[in-house]
Amino acid sequence: MRTATAQAQHVEPPPCAKADGSAGVRWIVNAGSLHHSVSVIPIEQQQRYFGSPCTFMVGKLKTPPYVQWNAIGTISIRSASEIDRCCDEGVGAVMYDPEKWQFTPEEEQRNPGEYACKIADLVHAQHRLLIVAPAADLVGGGPDRFDRFLRAKIAGSVAKCADVYEIQAQGAELDARDFASYVRRAAQQARRANPNIILLAGISTNPTGRSVTAKELFACVQAISDVVSGYWLNIPAGGAACPTCGEPKPEVAAELLQMMSAAGR
């Protein structure tokens, strides 16, 4: 991993506002997932939701037609060493996604905050934004992993050096009360460490292959709309990063977006 060669500077995220001046919804989306969802979410509709600087778009620079959109080009890294290959021109944000998987070295799994701050020095020296998205499974599995994650103070340790903290709460979304409780507690911990942090929450159309309805996702979104600025909309497919995810469910995402739009979100 390189060290910063220039003095790190604070990087301001672009404003995110609706036409009437009220706050817009920020998103993280994957261009590849959107590309494979065109039959369900037409490209014009996708652009309406995600074609602005409110959106951090992972894979934007490699996936037509998204290259031309006004979304923020974003790359996702799963280990600190990957920062050595960053970044192409047009990348405005880097997302550090440490999890308990083969892509994140064990030392980083044990000390995600330390490595997030090292990455922040490099990213900010390049005048780019840093998003941190540590998974709750860094403390192991089981239904109490969210509580153990918070007791380990990981939310605060990664948020203190970052610009955006994405709370990976999608594993709790089948119960909106549990989902909201975790997001609120993680948000509080993150804001104590960094009052300027932008907070997003993770939602998924098929979290680790489980079935979820758009109505259930909308309940989660509504339960935390006063806490976060937006969401990481995951439309995962089975693969090395998520072997249990199964087939993607873009139809769930399409229905959720319609529900949010009808509610003025």
Side-chain angles (χ1 to χ4, degrees):
M1 180 178 174
R2 300 171 303 187
T3 56
T5 56
Q7 183 177 1
Q9 299 180 17
H10 179 66
V11 180
E12 285 287 345
C16 176
K18 299 179 183 178
D20 63 5
S22 61
V25 177
R26 293 189 184 272
W27 295 98
I28 301 173
V29 294
N30 186 286
S33 294
L34 292 182
H35 180 68
H36 290 108
S37 302
V38 168
S39 63
V40 178
I41 312 174
I43 198 69
E44 297 81 8
Q45 184 179 0
Q46 291 185 15
Q47 188 166 18
R48 187 166 68 250
Y49 286 113
F50 308 123
S52 80
C54 291
T55 297
F56 298 98
M57 184 173 287
V58 179
K60 170 193 171 184
L61 301 183
K62 297 180 179 179
T63 315
Y66 308 108
V67 176
Q68 305 302 323
W69 287 14
N70 203 24
I72 301 170
T74 303
I75 67 162
S76 178
I77 64 172
R78 298 170 290 189
S79 71
S81 63
E82 292 180 47
I83 197 67
D84 291 340
R85 298 191 293 276
C86 180
C87 293
D88 295 333
E89 185 177 352
V91 171
V94 174
M95 181 167 66
Y96 178 47
D97 180 17
E99 305 195 20
K100 196 171 185 64
W101 55 10
Q102 69 270 31
F103 308 110
T104 303
E106 290 187 7
E107 174 63 20
E108 292 181 44
Q109 293 180 28
R110 290 191 294 268
N111 301 288
E114 175 186 340
Y115 282 89
C117 287
K118 290 179 179 179
I119 293 168
D121 286 342
L122 292 165
V123 170
H124 290 155
Q126 298 169 354
H127 306 288
R128 295 181 168 97
L129 296 162
L130 176 64
I131 305 166
V132 291
D137 69 359
L138 287 171
V139 295
D144 66 338
R145 65 191 182 281
F146 299 108
D147 290 330
R148 287 186 281 115
F149 181 91
L150 293 171
R151 288 198 299 269
K153 307 295 184 185
I154 294 174
S157 73
V158 298
K160 68 179 180 180
C161 297
D163 305 293
V164 180
Y165 171 37
E166 189 275 332
I167 303 166
Q168 288 214 39
Q170 57 268 35
E173 68 190 19
L174 295 180
D175 187 314
R177 288 173 298 180
D178 289 346
F179 179 91
S181 174
Y182 175 57
V183 169
R184 289 179 181 279
R185 288 181 293 155
Q188 183 180 50
Q189 187 180 125
R191 284 202 176 103
R192 281 200 300 264
N194 181 355
N196 297 316
I197 195 76
I198 292 173
L199 297 173
L200 308 178
I203 52 178
S204 175
T205 60
N206 47 314
T208 58
R210 291 177 295 169
S211 295
V212 62
T213 66
K215 185 176 180 180
E216 288 171 322
L217 287 183
F218 186 65
C220 291
V221 166
Q222 291 290 81
I224 58 169
S225 61
D226 62 328
V227 179
V228 299
S229 298
Y231 311 93
W232 182 0
L233 178 59
N234 289 273
I235 311 174
C242 188
T244 62
C245 279
E247 292 297 316
K249 303 291 183 181
E251 64 278 6
V252 176
E255 187 177 353
L256 171 66
L257 292 171
Q258 291 170 358
M259 295 173 76
M260 292 179 66
S261 181
R265 294 288 289 155

